[in-house]
Amino acid sequence: MTLQLPDHRSQHWKDALPGLLEQEPSTAVELDCGDWNLNCTDLQQLLQILDGMGCRLRWLCSRRPKTVVSAAAMGLNVHPVEKMEQPSPRSEDQDGLLVHRGTLRSGDHLQCDGDVLIYGDVNPGARVSAGGDVMVWGRLRGTAHAGCFGSTKAKIVALHLRPVQLRISNAVARGPEDQPLDGLTEQARLDQGVIVIEPAETRSIR
Amino acid sequence: MSTTRTILICSGKGGVGKTTTTANLGISLARSGASTVVLDADFGLRNLDLLLGLENRIVYTAQEVLAETCRLEQALVKHKQEPNLSLLPAGNPRMLEWLTPKDMQAIVALLEERFDYVLIDCPAGIEDGFKNAAAAAREALVITTPEVAAVRDADRVIGLLNTQGISPVQLVLNRVRPKMMSSQEMLSVDDVTDILALPLLGLVFEDEQVIVSTNRGEPLTLSDGGSPAARAYSNIAGRLQGEDIPLMDPAKLRRGLRAKMRELMQTKIF
Ligand SMILES: Nc1ncnc2c1ncn2[C@@H]1O[C@H](COP(=O)(O)OP(=O)(O)OP(=O)(O)O)[C@@H](O)[C@H]1O
Ligand SMILES: [Mg+2]
């Protein structure tokens, strides 16, 4: 059976792959990479995980041209999948910026290595973690972690910033309890190891 | 493609009114002339048959139909007073392992050949029982109550329905208590729709007649009684069929009562 890497909202592919392989009886693996944009380094890591579990890759498929190109460049057996009807919540990774369209609902956990832009809400019970910044073009009412690999420069920006909990690098803060002013975009950043919330800077982050 | 509407009735959290909604909606749709079948996918704890008063008439389940030990007609239990409505239990409580998404698709395909509406009563939770029940659904009704935990679970379920391409997904808010809402002891309608961001198909008030009718095995919508919940369920059935019926507004309802009182006072009856 073809193994399917998880949706961006549920788990990072690196965390999911070992579990998928454990359930797979055959050692010759067919892998559907779905919407993940994988570069050569990613694919090398993927092959290492397979190798570590005594499996080899028969072929892989992907909806992302970038993944197909990288895989082909590495001499892997790869084929593209037709872009069928796109599910409404979907994510696209481009040069370290993951753009997620749609709302993250309770139980979702969107993870990415770089920055993330969510074009929708982050509901209570949903989580988002990014190696870089978290930007929410909507309401942030769940939990957000920016700089999850230790970056203290990372920021969390939202049109409406009322999270359950915020984390930046290793710092943790509970969200403010009062309602924000309408139309005031806020940001959270680290100031001497403490998370502070203030009106968002108008100059671009990068 | 068939024009049958196959609707999953689900909630995430248990005990919020899935089975009650399925039974009452089934009766209302059948009464309006649509041939309707309710499929009990919660066969571990099956009780849709109880609510419909059909428990003692079940002989076969979908399981025997798929195993070809009986025909579909033999397994379908027709409702006594509402012959447009049939019930099909997906399995029996001793067969917890049996149902797979493929089985579910096969049985629903058979039902879609002969019914206008297939309503699937989903088990609580988001595990295998839910996934099986959802496997054949085209649209969904998410039932929730105005409580934080119920809304949170509903949100989770909506996320899962979205990934399965089930659409439209609509919302029914059950066990609404206008008084508690207006005193802000309960989440308001806006609080709930603000988070879930789904079209609201109906509001059902907390109504003790629901419990009475449950125990009697006669869904509220069966008798013509005008209890608030009975009206709410038939309105939901109407909206599902494309009728334009305005939503009840809990605040207005309360104002309405007070206004009536004031009128009575002015006519010096009191
Ligand atoms: N509007 C209402 N007013 C009063 N009581 C209600 C209402 N709706 C449901 N109930 C009661 O709540 C209880 C649970 O309802 P029901 O069995 O329909 O929920 P369910 O979601 O199917 O539960 P489960 O998850 O266990 O399958 C029942 O006792 C029912 O009578
Ligand atoms: Mg039930």
Side-chain angles (χ1 to χ4, degrees), chain A residues 7 9 85 87-89 103-108 121 123-126 139 141 164, chain B residues 151-160 162-163 165 191 193-198:
Chain A
D7 190 276
R9 285 178 300 154
E85 54 194 276
S88 66
T103 290
L104 291 183
R105 294 187 180 267
S106 175
D108 289 344
D121 293 342
N123 275 358
R139 292 171 291 193
R141 296 184 285 199
V164 172
Chain B
V151 172
R152 193 66 73 87
D153 291 354
D155 196 40
R156 177 96 179 97
V157 159
I158 296 162
L160 295 173
N162 284 346
T163 43
D191 289 337
T193 51
D194 190 47
I195 291 194
L196 299 181
L198 290 185

Side-chain angles (χ1 to χ4, degrees), chain B residues 18-19 42 47 121-122:
Chain B
K18 296 178 289 296
T19 305
D42 190 1
N47 48 27
D121 184 18
C122 182

